[in-house]
Amino acid sequence: TYFIYNTASGTVAITNNVVNRTKMTSTGGDYQVGIYTSAGTNTITGNTVANMTTTSSSSTSDLAASGIYVAAATPSNIISGNTVYNIVNTTNTTSTRATGIYIGSVTSPAAATATLVERNRVYNVANTSLTSTGSNSGLAVGIRVASGSATYTNNMVSMGANTAGESRVSGIENASTGTNNFYYNSLYVNGTVAGTVNNSYAFQRSSTGTTTLRNNVFYNERTGGGGNHVGLFVSSTTGW
């Protein structure tokens, strides 16, 4: 289910919409997305996506439960001033996902044409799986940078309080091999995790792309389990 859906080229404006109190019951890998775009040069501003629940069992796609999903291979997109909260995947299937804002494929890190993700507020994105454990437990990510190049500034992300079981939690995950800049973002992770192995991250860099971090606040006070709860995690020293 896509509540706002765009695949058109050209200039696209998605502004001041409300997607609220939606529920999808699925026994398969169906999707539930508040705002979706895969083409065009997009301005996505002033929207609210909230109180979305799903039982999607998809373990391979961030579309399973996503507030805003941008996969347009274009420069100069603007994703600004949106509020995304209470995006929850409640299924108990292995490695299911919940994502507040997903960014992929966007091009051009140059200042004049960069895609800009700014002043968004994301909180209470959760996975409440109780049966999946360890590396198969559910994923919850506030902002996921899957691919492409962009600048992320002045975003506020709060995660972890409404997760359950052994859910894996990240405020921002940068998995892109592109060039991405992160300035003045405030990331907070809390809550309690069960089990013995899973980590949590305010900012997680799981790639070797060129990354710049300046003047951000990363605070992680999550507790429980036998993993590590850290503000900044870097999987590689390449790309700084």
Side-chain angles (χ1 to χ4, degrees):
T1 302
Y2 304 91
F3 293 94
I4 298 175
Y5 182 83
N6 174 66
T7 58
S9 59
T11 301
V12 178
I14 303 173
T15 61
N16 299 322
N17 300 283
V18 176
V19 179
N20 191 18
R21 298 189 183 279
T22 66
K23 182 176 182 179
M24 181 181 71
T25 301
S26 169
T27 58
D30 297 313
Y31 303 150
Q32 184 170 219
V33 181
I35 297 172
Y36 173 93
T37 182
S38 62
T41 299
N42 298 271
T43 298
I44 302 173
T45 60
N47 301 284
T48 298
V49 182
N51 301 308
M52 175 186 293
T53 61
T54 181
T55 59
S56 173
S57 62
S58 176
S59 62
T60 59
S61 177
D62 293 276
L63 288 164
S66 187
I68 298 174
Y69 190 102
V70 179
T74 56
S76 303
N77 296 280
I78 298 173
I79 300 93
S80 176
N82 302 287
T83 303
V84 178
Y85 63 94
N86 292 349
I87 310 298
V88 182
N89 193 326
T90 62
T91 191
N92 286 320
T93 306
T94 297
S95 299
T96 54
R97 303 186 183 200
T99 308
I101 297 176
Y102 172 100
I103 305 294
S105 303
V106 294
T107 60
S108 182
T113 57
T115 286
L116 184 62
V117 183
E118 65 165 1
R119 297 190 299 108
N120 300 288
R121 187 181 179 199
V122 179
Y123 60 97
N124 290 354
V125 177
N127 194 304
T128 60
S129 173
L130 295 174
T131 59
S132 299
T133 60
S135 60
N136 292 320
S137 61
L139 290 163
V141 181
I143 299 176
R144 185 161 193 267
V145 184
S147 60
S149 300
T151 294
Y152 300 79
T153 182
N154 287 302
N155 298 289
M156 298 179 65
V157 180
S158 177
M159 298 282 294
N162 59 334
T163 59
E166 296 188 20
S167 294
R168 294 168 285 168
V169 177
S170 295
I172 290 180
E173 180 189 4
N174 179 19
S176 173
T177 58
T179 298
N180 288 282
N181 306 308
F182 300 87
Y183 307 137
Y184 300 102
N185 300 286
S186 298
L187 313 181
Y188 174 61
V189 174
N190 68 344
T192 302
V193 62
T196 59
V197 296
N198 285 337
N199 304 322
S200 67
Y201 315 104
F203 186 97
Q204 177 187 8
R205 181 176 180 264
S206 57
S207 70
T208 58
T210 301
T211 303
T212 301
L213 301 176
R214 293 179 183 169
N215 299 309
N216 301 283
V217 176
F218 304 148
Y219 181 34
N220 190 340
E221 64 173 359
R222 194 165 173 81
T223 59
N228 299 306
H229 306 299
V230 299
L232 171 63
F233 172 81
V234 177
S235 63
S236 172
T237 57
T238 301
W240 293 100

